[in-house]
Amino acid sequence: MDYIAISPSGKEIATLNCNTHELKVWHVTEENAIECNFTFPLQDDIGIKTENKNWSLAISDNVGDIYIALSCFNFKEMSSFEVIIDTQETTSTSNSLMNTPRSNSIELLRGGASISEHSSHNSIINSLNSIKLFSTRVISTSTGLDKWPCIKNFYGFLQFFKKDSSIIISNNFGIIRVCDDDLKDLSRGSKYIHKLLTRQVRSRTINYHNRSDVCEKKNYEIIGFPNNIVENLEIMNEEKQMNFIKNCILCGKLIIQNEENNLEMYNLLSKNMEMLYHHSEFQKELTNNILAISKNAKLLAVTINNNSVVLYLNENSLNIARKEFLMINGKIIYMAFFNNDEKLLLLELTEKDEDKNNLIIWNIYEDSEKIYSFDKKIQILDLFGTIAYKNDSGKDFQLFDERNPGEFELKEDNKNILTTNSLETLERIIDNTFNTEPWFNINHFQISSYWLDKDEKTTRISYGSHTIQVLKNDDLIYIWSNKYNLSNEINISQDDNGNIISKVKCGDGREHEFQISKIVNECFTKDHAMGAYYSLIFFYNLRSERMIYKKLKIDEYIEKTKKIIHNVIINKPNLWRLLDVRYSLMENLIYSQSNDIIKLILDSTTGENTNCNQKLHIPQLYDWENGRKKSRHELIIALENNNIKIIQRLFDYYSKNAIENAGWMVTLTQALPKISEKFPELMKELFNHSVFYEKKMHLAKSRIKSILTSNPYPTFIVDTRLPTKDWLYDKIPIDLNDNLNDRIEIYMTPLPDFNEFLKGRKRTIQCPFFKLVSQKNLDLFYKQNPILEATIVDIYTLKEVKPTRYQFFYGLSSILQLLTLFLFVFTRFYDLNNSNILLNLTQAIVGKYIIIIAYLVSTIIPYFLALMIMIVGFSFSFFVIFTSAEELGIKPEGVKYNFIETGKGEKNYSYVYMEKETNAPNFFKTLEMVYLWLFGSWNNVQDWNYFTVKILAIVASFFLILIMSNIFVALMTDDINRAIRYSEIASFKYKADFILESYLYPLFVIVEKFYSKRKKEFTFDQIFYRQPTFHLLLDRYIFYIKIDKKSWKKEISNGTDELIENLNEKVRKLNEKLDRYIT
């Protein structure tokens, strides 16, 4: 057997023959021909067949040069081996190897080799021959020089990044990521994010792993495994360790199970978690999963046991299929996608047959499989979508062809043969009396019809001008349509397997091919579903064209077509879900206004369990064909068609499913701003859903909860980067207090990428949060919304928001409230930020009471107006009396005084009457007099001893004091609670305005338009394979806690007994692992 390595793009191959000790380099041409370019004969004593030596071979893509990497290691003796890294020593060793005389002949398979080429090949051979146990060589095929002498003494499984010369070395102690100088920009980007987090959000960032923040300038970085993986590796034997480490790294990603048995995918360029797959429903314990990623990066295949596979969508982590292969009796040891990612190859290691293995090919979107038997000496290769194989007979590589499998024996083939006579059963209908397309007002052009059972004449196929139809007992069982006319070139033939094949040319020059046998013998296939789907679109477009047709006939055929789709959905729901992923069926169903089919898809339940939705529609942001982000997905199409019912159904569908996985909201998040702009009332209905209040954190809680008590904020983000180590053998400390906060519930925002604040201004103006808030939709703030509030608080406390006109206004208003300011500063001084004190003053007590006062004033204005009308009325009445006092013969009563004079022991009395001076009547003075009655000042009324004045005063006191004052008390009792609630909402809204203005305005619209024209679009596979910051969870979701921090800490302090119990449980588990390890 050979050691075989394939470059990430599948264009370069390296083989190391264990018998001849020859290392060969191959190239795959555009025509899929495999040519050998170089042969490097190695020394026989290099030890390839040595029992205690393991080898790993890797080859890079052609990035101006091709690099070969070879590593020799042994996991048994690793623990006693010390890594010594000496750049100068390894560099000198590399240079001395270049000058070593040639000891082996070099066979150049490329003609015309120069002396320099011979020298470089000589250096390659000498470098590879110098490899020893626990060492690695990375050699350039053009120069023969060691690529990275500094990693000479690292060892393990090797893997290059796609379209890059950077390499990963993995063993049971960790991962060594080696970056080329060309990746300094990516490294700086990662360090910039790290510094940004350290500087601005250190207190609000929770570490998912115990890791070091030290960032040294090296060409390599040592990355540790999570603690739960380290613990499990320690109790595995060497074989299990090797298989586990070899399988868990794929395409530059580390994919592992956490302690909750969910899958975590880490980008080894950024060290950060990109996706979390909810895998615990399929697996309950750690196993060695076999993984495969599709070439367009859309799909992830994971084995869950020896004969079952699940598929996930990488852009949103949603599970789209689970497939059990009943024919597998052994175990799956390899998987690969091929044929444009529409098929999955599985290699079964058989236990009963010692000489044969099985090859299973799953046709994913037809839900069918084939099984082949082949010799165990044959090695299977995945050339990035093309399957090749190499046997042990010394032959070159050969491509696998399903139609001509060669050395692969088809064990089971579900041949769909109509009858034993096949073509003999067909009979063309000469006198064609069938109207294939009766919806046209004239006898439209029809090509031909055939009986498929000429004896019984119950099944026929008819070719019309726009459709192909198969009818059985006059029931439509298959229909297919194309927007172009069909030609009269029809070819019906029979293949080697006995299947009847029909080929028809369309008006656009393309050819439509389908199996008549399969359509007739089976009722719920891909052909039935897709044919009916395209026909619905055809009928919808036909209605909008200026063509004479019979509406009732079209409606009749639409119902027949929908019946076919209905039958497929009911009988093959899993097939429909996969077809929806592959062809985005929901989008055109919304476009064709097939609301009844959409309702069936979204409301479909599993069997008798009406609460278990089958999830037949999967949201996607990226197009399957070109990989680019869609400009129009299902919600946008429904919005353009003003289809509110479908929007509401999709809202409900996504929100219910998002309780389990926030990935369901990926398209909804992006569509929120546009929907809010057109139908703002829908936002209130959406944010009322329980997912926006009850969505709990999806990360493994035990990894972060022990340090939450030191976090002073109610919201926080999680830094999910893998731990880093200074030395390979360093152990990452385990926090024994992880079980302190089991009662604390942590919630999260269920909107992926709702806020992209940390990704820069250009990304910020494109993110849904800023677009949504900029619309000033008051329905978003009608009550406390945990999602928006958590997002606003997160940005508000993270960024030093620059003061705006609103902030200055409320800041100055705060200064006027001196007493409140004093109390606030006394109680909240430690929270103040020196750069914007006014803003911090505004956001707490003072701002709250200013808003309460403003709200109360606004609510009592009608009451105040009514009160003033009454006061003015009574004032006018008194004013009339006062102006007519002379005519009425009345005037204010004077004051009588008695004076007592004493002298010579005698008392003399005198009586004095002082008449009160009256001025000319003044209406405003009268108005002031009546207004002061509200506060108990009745002196002016007592001076008038006139019946009418007394009566008016009594009436005024009744209305102003008894009625209006009590009305005021009643109003304030009800409004004060409303005012407090409003103050919270208003403060919430003003914070959003502050962020929006300080960060975006006044150039928001200009920058947005300019950026939208200049921004570079990446395809999904480019983002997935080559971007170091794809879907960073540290800014993708915001986490928050609802309960009070004081009660939380009190709960923790009272949990001593529980802590001791948890520690005892940990000790017990460690003892069990130790016993397993010893035995």
Side-chain angles (χ1 to χ4, degrees):
M1 299 291 285
D2 293 350
Y3 286 96
I4 300 178
I6 305 169
S7 67
S9 296
K11 292 297 183 182
E12 313 297 333
I13 305 173
T15 61
L16 179 58
N17 192 294
C18 296
N19 296 319
T20 64
H21 296 86
E22 287 183 339
L23 192 151
K24 294 184 178 182
V25 177
W26 310 72
H27 176 69
V28 183
T29 65
E30 295 295 332
E31 294 78 21
N32 283 332
I34 304 175
E35 302 174 348
C36 183
N37 287 342
F38 302 102
T39 298
F40 305 108
L42 305 183
Q43 294 177 355
D44 293 341
D45 60 353
I46 193 173
I48 296 177
K49 287 187 175 183
T50 304
E51 183 177 352
N52 293 327
K53 285 187 177 181
N54 299 303
W55 297 82
S56 180
L57 178 67
I59 186 169
S60 72
D61 288 328
N62 191 340
V63 287
D65 199 353
I66 299 174
Y67 298 94
I68 302 171
L70 185 64
S71 183
C72 181
F73 56 93
N74 184 346
F75 281 7
K76 286 183 179 179
E77 302 175 11
M78 272 184 172
S79 58
S80 61
F81 183 78
E82 294 184 1
V83 179
I84 302 173
I85 302 173
D86 191 337
T87 305
Q88 295 180 354
E89 179 185 350
T90 52
T91 305
S92 61
T93 303
S94 176
N95 293 333
S96 64
L97 288 172
M98 291 178 58
N99 300 322
T100 303
R102 176 178 177 181
S103 59
N104 295 81
S105 61
I106 301 174
E107 179 186 356
L108 290 178
L109 300 185
R110 283 194 291 189
S114 63
I115 296 177
S116 60
E117 289 176 329
H118 283 274
S119 177
S120 65
H121 282 74
N122 203 13
S123 298
I124 294 172
I125 291 176
N126 291 331
S127 293
L128 294 176
N129 282 331
S130 68
I131 193 169
K132 297 180 181 179
L133 188 63
F134 305 118
S135 62
T136 297
R137 298 290 184 272
V138 182
I139 311 297
S140 166
T141 57
S142 62
T143 64
L145 298 176
D146 283 355
K147 176 66 176 174
W148 291 290
C150 62
I151 63 164
K152 173 183 176 181
N153 291 318
F154 287 119
Y155 44 83
F157 292 103
L158 307 172
Q159 188 179 123
F160 282 96
F161 286 98
K162 188 176 181 181
K163 299 292 184 182
D164 209 317
S165 61
S166 300
I167 194 171
I168 300 167
I169 306 173
S170 57
N171 55 46
N172 58 339
F173 290 102
I175 301 167
I176 300 93
R177 186 198 65 184
V178 190
C179 290
D180 196 359
D181 293 340
D182 295 334
L183 288 179
K184 281 185 178 179
D185 57 330
L186 300 182
S187 179
R188 284 199 302 267
S190 179
K191 290 177 182 178
Y192 170 76
I193 293 178
H194 168 73
K195 290 178 181 179
L196 180 67
L197 285 172
T198 303
R199 183 176 67 250
Q200 289 189 304
V201 293
R202 178 184 293 274
S203 61
R204 296 177 52 253
T205 303
I206 306 299
N207 294 332
Y208 194 56
H209 303 285
N210 291 311
R211 56 173 181 78
S212 171
D213 285 334
V214 178
C215 201
E216 299 181 9
K217 294 183 178 179
K218 297 179 181 178
N219 286 336
Y220 64 89
E221 189 170 15
I222 303 174
I223 304 170
F225 291 113
N227 281 324
N228 68 305
I229 299 299
V230 174
E231 292 175 3
N232 283 280
L233 284 173
E234 290 175 351
I235 62 175
M236 292 181 183
N237 59 34
E238 182 187 17
E239 182 182 358
K240 288 184 177 180
Q241 281 184 347
M242 291 180 61
N243 289 332
F244 182 86
I245 295 169
K246 184 179 180 180
N247 293 330
C248 69
I249 297 179
L250 184 67
C251 302
K253 313 291 181 183
L254 172 66
I255 304 174
I256 52 177
Q257 280 180 257
N258 61 20
E259 55 266 39
E260 296 178 356
N261 294 311
N262 292 321
L263 290 179
E264 298 175 348
M265 180 172 72
Y266 294 87
N267 186 332
L268 292 178
L269 278 174
S270 64
K271 303 175 296 179
N272 202 39
M273 185 191 296
E274 290 185 335
M275 196 62 64
L276 186 138
Y277 304 89
H278 294 256
H279 193 69
S280 56
E281 61 179 298
F282 303 115
Q283 284 185 287
K284 301 302 180 184
E285 59 182 13
L286 179 68
T287 57
N288 182 17
N289 295 318
I290 306 300
L291 308 169
I293 295 177
S294 62
K295 311 317 167 196
N296 62 4
K298 293 277 282 185
L299 300 179
L300 171 68
V302 185
T303 58
I304 56 177
N305 51 41
N306 290 338
N307 65 348
S308 298
V309 176
V310 291
L311 294 181
Y312 292 99
L313 201 60
N314 278 331
E315 66 174 276
N316 52 26
S317 77
L318 298 181
N319 171 248
I320 62 172
R322 175 180 179 175
K323 179 70 174 179
E324 184 177 5
F325 300 92
L326 299 176
M327 75 286 295
I328 295 181
N329 297 316
K331 64 178 181 179
I332 301 170
I333 60 173
Y334 179 76
M335 292 193 301
F337 287 92
F338 71 105
N339 192 29
N340 294 325
D341 296 323
E342 295 191 354
K343 295 182 179 181
L344 181 66
L345 177 145
L346 301 96
L347 183 59
E348 176 196 2
L349 179 63
T350 57
E351 297 178 352
K352 296 181 180 179
D353 194 339
E354 297 182 356
D355 299 324
K356 297 283 186 179
N357 281 336
N358 290 332
L359 185 71
I360 298 96
I361 295 178
W362 177 26
N363 193 330
I364 300 173
Y365 304 106
E366 291 187 1
D367 198 21
S368 62
E369 59 275 346
K370 293 181 180 179
I371 181 168
Y372 297 88
S373 176
F374 67 98
D375 195 288
K376 286 189 175 182
K377 296 181 179 180
I378 295 178
Q379 292 177 272
I380 306 294
L381 291 82
D382 172 25
L383 303 180
F384 204 71
T386 302
I387 302 300
Y389 63 93
K390 189 177 188 300
N391 56 29
D392 202 34
S393 61
K395 293 183 180 180
D396 293 339
F397 294 96
Q398 301 179 57
L399 299 180
F400 175 76
D401 186 1
E402 288 188 74
R403 297 181 179 180
N404 185 21
E407 300 183 46
F408 295 82
E409 179 185 355
L410 183 63
K411 294 181 64 175
E412 184 180 347
D413 185 17
N414 301 322
K415 297 180 181 180
N416 299 319
I417 304 175
L418 186 60
T419 64
T420 54
N421 296 326
S422 296
L423 286 176
E424 297 179 3
T425 62
L426 268 72
E427 180 183 27
R428 182 165 185 172
I429 303 175
I430 305 300
D431 185 15
N432 191 359
T433 58
F434 301 107
N435 190 358
T436 305
E437 298 171 343
W439 50 82
F440 292 111
N441 285 330
I442 58 175
N443 190 10
H444 216 66
F445 170 71
Q446 300 180 48
I447 301 174
S448 58
S449 296
Y450 294 85
W451 289 114
L452 300 179
D453 52 350
K454 64 180 181 181
D455 296 331
E456 290 81 5
K457 294 185 179 181
T458 59
T459 307
R460 76 172 190 271
I461 182 170
S462 298
Y463 299 86
S465 60
H466 292 84
T467 61
I468 301 173
Q469 302 174 31
V470 176
L471 295 95
K472 193 170 186 177
N473 295 323
D474 293 329
D475 287 336
L476 186 67
I477 63 172
Y478 172 82
I479 183 171
W480 179 88
S481 180
N482 186 277
K483 62 181 179 180
Y484 300 99
N485 293 344
L486 303 179
S487 68
N488 56 1
E489 298 182 23
I490 301 174
N491 181 17
I492 300 178
S493 59
Q494 187 171 352
D495 62 12
D496 296 336
N497 295 324
N499 297 309
I500 303 176
I501 308 298
S502 176
K503 298 180 181 179
V504 183
K505 279 194 175 182
C506 304
D508 58 351
R510 290 183 294 181
E511 189 175 66
H512 176 59
E513 179 180 340
F514 61 99
Q515 287 188 19
I516 298 178
S517 307
K518 188 175 182 180
I519 289 171
V520 174
N521 292 339
E522 301 180 31
C523 299
F524 317 116
T525 67
K526 172 186 175 182
D527 292 332
H528 289 85
M530 297 307 299
Y533 169 75
Y534 290 130
S535 298
L536 275 183
I537 301 172
F538 163 74
F539 288 130
Y540 178 79
N541 291 331
L542 185 64
R543 283 176 166 178
S544 59
E545 292 179 0
R546 295 180 179 179
M547 185 179 293
I548 301 175
Y549 60 86
K550 299 176 182 178
K551 183 179 182 302
L552 292 178
K553 284 295 181 181
I554 285 187
D555 292 342
E556 178 186 345
Y557 268 79
I558 286 176
E559 292 304 316
K560 291 181 178 180
T561 305
K562 286 182 178 179
K563 184 179 179 181
I564 297 174
I565 294 178
H566 183 277
N567 291 335
V568 173
I569 293 173
I570 296 299
N571 293 279
K572 286 288 188 74
N574 295 330
L575 174 62
W576 180 267
R577 185 190 307 108
L578 288 168
L579 292 175
D580 178 70
V581 171
R582 176 63 181 84
Y583 299 102
S584 300
L585 303 183
M586 180 61 71
E587 296 175 4
N588 275 319
L589 288 176
I590 295 174
Y591 172 76
S592 60
Q593 299 180 3
S594 303
N595 290 4
D596 50 346
I597 296 294
I598 296 172
K599 182 179 182 299
L600 174 65
I601 293 170
L602 300 182
D603 296 344
S604 181
T605 56
T606 304
E608 298 179 356
N609 189 354
T610 57
N611 295 323
C612 184
N613 192 286
Q614 295 197 79
K615 304 176 179 64
L616 300 185
H617 164 60
I618 307 294
Q620 296 180 84
L621 272 179
Y622 293 88
D623 188 82
W624 184 278
E625 297 295 339
N626 56 34
R628 299 196 178 277
K629 200 170 185 178
K630 297 178 182 179
S631 59
R632 298 170 72 249
H633 49 77
E634 66 279 359
L635 279 167
I636 300 300
I637 295 173
L639 182 66
E640 292 173 352
N641 294 340
N642 296 322
N643 199 333
I644 297 180
K645 289 185 178 180
I646 294 301
I647 293 176
Q648 290 174 324
R649 283 192 177 277
L650 289 171
F651 275 2
D652 189 58
Y653 176 77
Y654 293 148
S655 300
K656 285 181 179 178
N657 293 329
I659 290 290
E660 301 174 3
N661 189 338
W664 287 98
M665 308 289 273
V666 64
T667 55
L668 188 149
T669 305
Q670 302 299 319
L672 278 180
K674 292 185 178 180
I675 296 175
S676 175
E677 185 177 7
K678 196 168 186 178
F679 301 113
E681 66 278 2
L682 291 181
M683 291 298 99
K684 183 184 293 188
E685 180 180 345
L686 173 65
F687 285 113
N688 262 334
H689 200 281
S690 59
V691 70
F692 294 99
Y693 300 86
E694 300 176 2
K695 176 59 180 171
K696 295 182 180 179
M697 183 182 67
H698 61 319
L699 299 174
K701 183 180 175 183
S702 61
R703 293 190 183 172
I704 68 172
K705 60 190 176 183
S706 61
I707 55 176
L708 282 177
T709 52
S710 62
N711 180 47
Y713 296 96
T715 64
F716 57 91
I717 56 180
V718 179
D719 186 354
T720 54
R721 288 176 297 165
L722 286 166
T724 55
K725 304 193 290 185
D726 294 331
W727 298 96
L728 183 62
Y729 295 125
D730 288 348
K731 290 191 176 181
I732 301 167
I734 301 175
D735 193 343
L736 295 179
N737 296 325
D738 279 346
N739 294 304
L740 282 175
N741 307 332
D742 282 336
R743 301 176 186 176
I744 305 304
E745 297 294 346
I746 304 173
Y747 297 84
M748 63 178 287
T749 57
L751 299 174
D753 301 318
F754 184 56
N755 169 41
E756 295 182 341
F757 174 75
L758 290 179
K759 298 181 181 178
R761 184 178 295 268
K762 290 183 179 179
R763 292 291 296 274
T764 299
I765 64 174
Q766 295 294 320
C767 84
F769 168 75
F770 279 91
K771 287 186 175 182
L772 190 65
V773 174
S774 65
Q775 296 172 5
K776 311 289 184 181
N777 182 2
L778 295 179
D779 285 336
L780 298 174
F781 306 96
Y782 76 104
K783 68 174 184 176
Q784 277 187 320
N785 187 319
I787 302 306
L788 286 177
E789 187 172 3
T791 306
I792 289 172
V793 170
D794 183 73
I795 303 175
Y796 197 72
T797 54
L798 171 65
K799 187 181 187 304
E800 296 179 0
V801 185
K802 297 178 182 178
T804 63
R805 61 179 183 271
Y806 296 113
Q807 297 166 19
F808 278 122
F809 171 75
Y810 285 104
L812 292 174
S813 300
S814 302
I815 295 175
L816 297 178
Q817 310 294 327
L818 295 179
L819 179 59
T820 312
L821 277 175
F822 173 77
L823 293 174
F824 169 70
V825 173
F826 181 77
T827 56
R828 301 274 297 192
F829 182 79
Y830 63 91
D831 279 341
L832 296 182
N833 188 325
N834 293 330
S835 62
N836 49 9
I837 295 179
L838 291 180
L839 179 59
N840 284 288
L841 294 175
T842 304
Q843 74 182 24
I845 299 175
V846 176
K848 175 181 177 180
Y849 282 103
I850 290 174
I851 295 173
I852 290 175
I853 293 170
Y855 178 81
L856 291 176
V857 169
S858 65
T859 55
I860 65 172
I861 285 177
Y863 164 82
F864 181 74
L865 292 176
L867 178 65
M868 289 306 299
I869 290 173
M870 297 181 69
I871 291 174
V872 170
F874 285 113
S875 299
F876 184 76
S877 300
F878 280 102
F879 178 71
V880 171
I881 293 174
F882 293 159
T883 54
S884 306
E886 187 175 350
E887 299 176 4
L888 296 173
I890 61 175
K891 60 181 180 179
E893 290 186 351
V895 182
K896 298 178 181 179
Y897 295 97
N898 290 326
F899 294 93
I900 301 175
E901 297 180 1
T902 61
K904 298 180 180 181
E906 297 180 358
K907 295 184 179 180
N908 298 318
Y909 294 90
S910 63
Y911 173 78
V912 179
Y913 176 80
M914 301 179 64
E915 185 176 323
K916 195 167 186 176
E917 182 182 2
T918 57
N919 298 320
N922 187 313
F923 177 76
F924 292 103
K925 290 288 184 179
T926 308
L927 185 66
E928 179 185 2
M929 177 192 72
V930 176
Y931 180 76
L932 290 176
W933 291 353
L934 295 172
F935 307 100
S937 179
W938 295 87
N939 295 331
N940 293 332
V941 178
Q942 295 174 358
D943 296 337
W944 295 85
N945 189 12
Y946 183 60
F947 179 77
T948 305
V949 173
K950 301 296 184 183
I951 294 298
L952 279 175
I954 293 173
V955 173
S957 65
F958 176 77
F959 282 99
L960 295 180
I961 305 302
L962 295 180
I963 295 180
M964 297 303 293
S965 295
N966 283 285
I967 290 176
F968 178 76
V969 172
L971 287 175
M972 293 301 291
T973 302
D974 183 53
D975 286 345
I976 191 68
N977 294 326
R978 220 178 307 164
I980 294 173
R981 178 77 185 110
Y982 174 78
S983 69
E984 296 173 354
I985 297 173
S987 177
F988 177 34
K989 180 181 180 300
Y990 286 134
K991 285 180 182 178
D993 291 340
F994 294 160
I995 295 170
L996 194 67
E997 287 204 1
S998 64
Y999 198 69
L1000 300 179
Y1001 285 120
L1003 300 177
F1004 175 78
V1005 178
I1006 298 174
V1007 173
E1008 182 181 14
K1009 291 182 178 179
F1010 178 76
Y1011 176 64
S1012 61
K1013 292 180 180 179
R1014 295 192 59 184
K1015 66 178 180 180
K1016 186 176 180 180
E1017 296 256 348
F1018 292 98
T1019 60
F1020 184 79
D1021 62 321
Q1022 290 173 333
I1023 297 172
F1024 183 84
Y1025 286 118
R1026 302 177 64 185
Q1027 295 274 329
T1029 55
F1030 164 67
H1031 283 178
L1032 291 181
L1033 285 190
L1034 70 91
D1035 194 34
R1036 200 177 193 203
Y1037 297 102
I1038 296 172
F1039 303 92
Y1040 61 95
I1041 301 168
K1042 291 182 180 179
I1043 66 173
D1044 183 24
K1045 300 283 287 185
K1046 292 182 180 179
S1047 61
W1048 177 15
K1049 293 182 179 180
K1050 183 179 179 182
E1051 224 175 271
I1052 293 171
S1053 62
N1054 294 332
T1056 307
D1057 294 337
E1058 184 180 357
L1059 172 61
I1060 294 174
E1061 183 181 347
N1062 288 327
L1063 290 177
N1064 290 333
E1065 181 67 19
K1066 280 198 169 186
V1067 172
R1068 186 185 63 78
K1069 289 183 178 179
L1070 288 174
N1071 289 333
E1072 289 180 357
K1073 289 183 178 179
L1074 183 60
D1075 294 338
R1076 289 169 54 191
Y1077 181 73
I1078 294 174
T1079 55

